[in-house]
Amino acid sequence: MAYDLEEQEQIANFKAFWARFGNLIMGVLIVALLAYAGYNFWQSRQRTQAVEASALYDELQAALGASDNAKAQRIAGDIKQKYEGTVYAQMAALAAAKTAFEASDLKTARAQLQWVADNGNDEYKAIAKLRLAGVLLDEKSYDAALKLLNDKFPEQFSAEVADRKGDVLVAQNKIAEARQAYVAALAAMHKDNPGRQLVQVKLEAIGGTVPEATAKGAAAAA
């Protein structure tokens, strides 16, 4: 009998608890289940988009191989429009910029690079801004190129940024500043970087000399 009374008391307590908090508990469970279902749907959608974007990117590569700039631009536009949230959109824009540049379509190349600079992740933004500065250099828009290169870049791009600054400054006939930029590029480069030799050639071509510490590092690498 005592057990029955205790059990009845527990049941009564549970009913009281449920009457007070049951709706809240059910609401939390429903939200959790919906969130889980939504996450699974998002994951599935991401995988599907990645597969579809990859297939289009393969088509883009084929267009690049055929030097078909018009087709490459069309496919890149489709990837950016339909799969903007995937890394393929950034890769496609960079590839389309390259083929446009090779086709002397600087306006399109600039637009594709600007899109990546505005929408890409940090690494792709840096690559796009470096290449865009190169396009601006070819267009003789030197001030715009330097302004772009003075933006914030990830540390690992320091050497490439300094090297490109040197190129722009040489074009402006600012030789002393160009030497400083090339020296900075060498200082930021790893001793095994294959681009060191080209920077040294450019530095020496404008009357600069490779700093002793840098020269020793290059000699040691050799």
Side-chain angles (χ1 to χ4, degrees):
M1 179 67 69
Y3 177 80
D4 291 340
L5 290 173
E6 183 179 349
E7 187 177 62
Q8 289 175 10
E9 183 179 355
Q10 289 176 346
I11 292 173
N13 288 337
F14 177 77
K15 286 181 176 179
F17 173 83
W18 189 257
R20 184 176 180 183
F21 298 107
N23 290 338
L24 176 61
I25 292 171
M26 288 301 297
V28 170
L29 287 174
I30 291 171
V31 169
L33 289 172
L34 288 174
Y36 180 71
Y39 175 75
N40 283 340
F41 174 78
W42 179 81
Q43 287 281 77
S44 175
R45 180 173 173 77
Q46 289 292 101
R47 287 192 293 269
T48 300
Q49 285 197 330
V51 170
E52 293 174 352
S54 176
L56 270 180
Y57 188 75
D58 287 342
E59 292 184 29
L60 174 60
Q61 291 297 313
L64 294 176
S67 299
D68 191 338
N69 181 46
K71 186 175 181 180
Q73 300 307 322
R74 185 169 62 254
I75 296 173
D78 287 343
I79 295 175
K80 288 192 299 179
Q81 180 181 9
K82 298 177 181 178
Y83 310 106
E84 181 178 352
T86 70
V87 70
Y88 288 103
Q90 301 169 57
M91 294 165 56
L94 289 176
K98 182 176 183 294
T99 191
F101 182 82
E102 292 172 349
S104 299
D105 185 0
L106 298 186
K107 180 179 179 181
T108 299
R110 189 170 60 249
Q112 293 284 13
L113 292 171
Q114 188 64 58
W115 186 90
V116 181
D118 292 337
N119 298 281
N121 61 29
D122 288 345
E123 182 176 353
Y124 280 112
K125 281 182 178 180
I127 294 171
K129 288 193 289 186
L130 279 167
R131 294 182 182 177
L132 183 54
V135 173
L136 292 170
L137 172 59
D138 282 356
E139 293 181 329
K140 301 186 184 335
S141 299
Y142 305 132
D143 291 339
L146 286 176
K147 181 179 180 181
L148 189 62
L149 292 169
N150 285 328
D151 281 352
K152 184 177 180 180
F153 281 81
E155 183 65 28
Q156 64 266 31
F157 290 93
S158 297
E160 288 81 0
V161 172
D163 182 27
R164 186 55 53 86
K165 281 183 179 179
D167 295 343
V168 177
L169 291 166
V170 167
Q172 290 181 304
N173 202 33
K174 296 179 179 179
I175 303 304
E177 293 177 52
R179 290 173 188 152
Q180 293 176 355
Y182 287 140
V183 168
L186 289 171
M189 280 184 178
H190 189 274
K191 63 183 181 181
D192 297 326
N193 190 316
R196 288 187 64 89
Q197 186 173 359
L198 177 59
V199 178
Q200 290 180 21
V201 168
K202 290 191 287 187
L203 175 60
E204 291 169 353
I206 58 174
T209 55
V210 179
E212 184 177 353
T214 302
K216 287 181 178 178

